[in-house]
Amino acid sequence: MRDMMGLMKQAQDMQKKMAEMQAQLDTLEFEGSAGGGLVKLVMTAKNVLKSVKIDPSLMVQGEEEILEDLVISASNDARNKAERAVQERMAEMTKGLPLPPGMPKLF
């Protein structure tokens, strides 16, 4: 019975920590860049695009595909940074808990 109470307490603590982590992640912004910094964008951990900066030298008529590819690359860069940050925080939070392998990735 005491073990069950301990598990319930651990689950409640984990839920509280998860809510706190989510609130922190909502405030974090991640910068992605491509083309040696010619395209930069800022995105939240929830993949909300906050800003895009494009160097004027890329505004060349007939070469729109290059610019499009750079925007996609910068977006992927920011998203990867956000995902790594979430995974690192989850690993930190679940350290020492007897979770099945891969469980933190589910959150």
Side-chain angles (χ1 to χ4, degrees):
M1 184 72 160
R2 199 174 284 249
D3 288 342
M4 183 61 118
M5 297 287 268
L7 285 175
M8 295 280 288
K9 173 78 169 112
Q10 264 189 325
Q12 288 174 340
D13 290 346
M14 176 64 77
Q15 191 173 23
K16 182 180 176 185
K17 286 180 182 180
M18 290 284 292
E20 290 171 359
M21 183 189 78
Q22 189 62 47
Q24 289 175 350
L25 288 173
D26 287 347
T27 64
L28 294 179
E29 296 180 347
F30 301 89
E31 182 179 285
S33 66
L38 294 175
V39 174
K40 295 180 183 179
L41 56 81
V42 175
M43 183 179 286
T44 68
K46 289 187 173 184
N47 296 324
V48 174
L49 188 60
K50 302 288 273 188
S51 70
V52 177
K53 300 225 184 302
I54 300 171
D55 189 279
S57 67
L58 293 172
M59 306 292 189
V60 179
Q61 189 167 3
E63 295 187 14
E64 293 85 2
E65 192 173 317
I66 293 170
L67 178 55
E68 292 165 354
D69 290 343
L70 289 173
V71 170
I72 291 169
S73 293
S75 175
N76 289 336
D77 183 39
R79 186 172 36 258
N80 290 336
K81 288 176 181 176
E83 287 174 2
R84 277 193 305 271
V86 169
Q87 288 175 358
E88 287 170 5
R89 287 172 188 254
M90 282 301 299
E92 200 175 289
M93 187 183 338
T94 59
K95 191 184 317 180
L97 292 178
L99 296 174
M103 184 73 162
K105 293 178 186 171
L106 297 176
F107 295 103

